[in-house]
Amino acid sequence: MSDTEFDNSEEPTEEENGLVDFVIDHTNRWRDYRDTNFLADWDEYERIFRGRWNAMDKTKETERSRLVSPATQQAIETRHAEIMEAIFGQGEFFDIKDDIMDVNGNPLDVEDIKAKLNEDFKQDKIIKAVDAIELMAEIYGTGIGEVIVKEVTAYRPATKPIPGVAGTAAIGVEEYKRISVPLKPVNPKNFLIDPNATTIEDAMGVAIEKFVSIHKVVEGMEKGIYRKVNIGPSGNDDDLEPTQELIEYQDDKVKILTYYGLVPREYIEQLENEGADVVDLFPEDSTADSYSDLVEAIVVIANGGLLLKAEKSPYMMKDRPVVAYQDDTVPGRFWGRGTVEKAYNMQKAIDAQLRSHLDSLALTTAPMIAMDATRLPRGAKFEVKPGKAILTNGA
């Protein structure tokens, strides 16, 4: 499908531009704070976990060895395995007791609920998601997950009697709709939060930014989930990639920012009411005017400026569909402390010791020597090889 399919979409209105500017302005400042204080450390923590060497990780300028000790990797995997065993290893994840005042007096109703919850967990792969979230908490210090509610089409085996033929049935599959509530792991490098907050609920808002395949965005437009805008691939941003690779794939992907939080009511209501006037309570252009009347909303922006979706929070309790926890609590701060950060100094000490040993071993194996250059033939190349003969001019 070409990028120009939605060229006939309307130009952004003043309300749309105002809402986009409001969200982008705040998330840009939140990103600057996060990147300045944490991003470089997180990148190094990831390299330690994966055993990747980088020139920035040298313990001294003269070292030549590139060995990365697996000590911290072992600590992460041991702790991660213990926590996952504590969560899911007992075989009874849902601890629900039947109410003694149950009107029906049937204890099996709660067992049915538990069985259905376990079935939904398996279908939506919740255990796999929790596994990834907990592992990222061990590495970066904070585990984050996005709760997504959607209706999906599912299939199941079915039989249907064949009319007119007794005792026979057709075997096949039937299609049905089910409400899916998957938990999507979020890398801290893709998560933005108000730096003044210590919890998701206290924050003015939170945002998740990531790259999405362009066909998913176009599909959302066709289904009416997103507004029809002239979308195209975005540029590359290495900081948003889930892992550090030599070359990142750059084709057919769109940068999506999903904002869950407070926005001025006037922007949302004017979009919903097609430009109806909203009365301001504070003088225009004042600081208080921007925060005088806020409403919980969901805003989706593509490529840093195209408004795909803007609506008041559809959730009954107006809560934000994001969960987060700290692997190790840092009081007064949203971002936590993980196993890599706690083991960092010892990891650097072990790396320095191992690399120093290997560097000295290399000098023992192939020591540095001094030679009389006047005795070497012209153009000779000195190499250390077993059995190599060096022909010199003179005694």
Side-chain angles (χ1 to χ4, degrees), residues 40 43-45 47-48 52-60 63 67-68 244 344 348 351 355:
D43 286 341
E44 185 174 4
Y45 296 164
R47 291 194 295 269
I48 290 174
R52 295 288 188 90
W53 179 87
N54 189 287
M56 295 185 295
D57 302 335
K58 285 185 176 183
T59 56
K60 60 179 184 293
E63 74 179 14
L67 180 67
V68 178
Q244 301 173 64
Y344 181 79
K348 301 300 282 189
D351 286 345
R355 293 171 186 174

Side-chain angles (χ1 to χ4, degrees), residues 17 25 71 74 104 156 249 267 274 287 302-303 360 362 369 393:
N17 288 332
D25 175 63
Q74 183 179 10
N104 298 324
R156 58 190 170 198
Y249 187 72
Y267 293 140
E274 297 182 355
T287 302
N303 294 344
S360 62
I369 60 175
N393 296 320

